[in-house]
Amino acid sequence: ANGDVVGRHENAFIEYNNKFYLLGGRGVNPVNVFDPKTNSWETKGNSPLEIHHFQAVVYGNAIYLVGAMTGGYPKENPLDCIWIYYPETDIWVKGAEIPMPRRRGGAGAVVYNDKIYIAGGIKLGHTSGTTNYFDSYDLKTGKWEALTDAPHIRDHFPAIVANAKMYCIGGRNTSVHHPEEFSAFFNATIAEIDYYDFLEGKWYTLKEPLPVPTAAGGLVKMDNNLLYIGGEGIQNKAYNQSQCLDLSTG
């Protein structure tokens, strides 16, 4: 592809109006925009602060960043508010405050019926406080609501909406440390797949776990399948497996 792009990690990459936006990551980075029609990148302005470990969502004419961290490893602080990026104007806006007891990073986030739903996440970077919290933020009224906890705690994972359900796939418990091995959490992956049925207002766990459990993989819906791609774990390099869940059969 043509144009410059800034390499980064613990970032988000999301589609908005047929272009793809690369946002955040460790350090302070520009927004890079990929246009698949021209196979080229362009560079926009920097983020207003270091923002990483989040799943971006699109609503209306904006990209919302919620459930994020800032600062350096391993005691990255959770952000105290939502940040909003407007692609058309390349403007960042500080959004609603997140209630203090519910602040965490590395959470899964989706939009469903004018609300942002966030699940899981960890309260203090890579040290402590992995949760199974589940919250909604009403984009029309600005109201936060703490909802029923998910069946499993997890952080460093993506979530996705399919067939009026929110699926939480992959991730790990980054609170796991051993006396001689701080980074034992890399092996503490979560194989169980939880999903929240919006129509019933209930959590369920799939019978079949993730065959190759990793954290921080990519997640997309294609037809009636979910594709979970890559991720990190106990090995030194990223995983190259792509795993496909058939939603019609489970």
Side-chain angles (χ1 to χ4, degrees), residues 92-175:
W92 289 87
V93 172
K94 191 173 188 175
E97 187 177 351
I98 299 166
M100 188 175 278
R102 312 299 284 189
R103 292 174 192 170
R104 68 262 196 206
V110 301
V111 169
Y112 182 78
N113 283 1
D114 302 311
K115 290 181 179 178
I116 296 175
Y117 289 85
I118 67 167
I122 183 166
K123 290 186 171 186
L124 186 57
H126 293 73
T127 59
S128 61
T130 300
T131 73
N132 57 350
Y133 287 174
F134 185 44
D135 302 85
S136 66
Y137 172 73
D138 191 315
L139 289 151
K140 297 204 155 159
T141 67
K143 180 172 180 272
W144 283 96
E145 194 176 353
L147 304 170
T148 307
D149 288 347
H152 296 92
I153 67 171
R154 72 182 80 217
D155 57 62
H156 283 75
F157 75 97
I160 199 166
V161 172
N163 309 332
K165 298 175 178 75
M166 175 179 176
Y167 287 84
C168 300
I169 300 184
R172 64 177 186 239
N173 177 2
T174 306
S175 304

Side-chain angles (χ1 to χ4, degrees), residues 18 21 29 31 35 52 58 70 72 81 87 117 155 164 170 192 207 212 238:
N18 299 315
Y21 288 76
N29 300 298
V31 175
D35 185 343
H52 48 70
V58 168
T70 191
C81 66
Y117 289 85
D155 57 62
E192 293 86 1
K207 284 195 177 72
V212 183

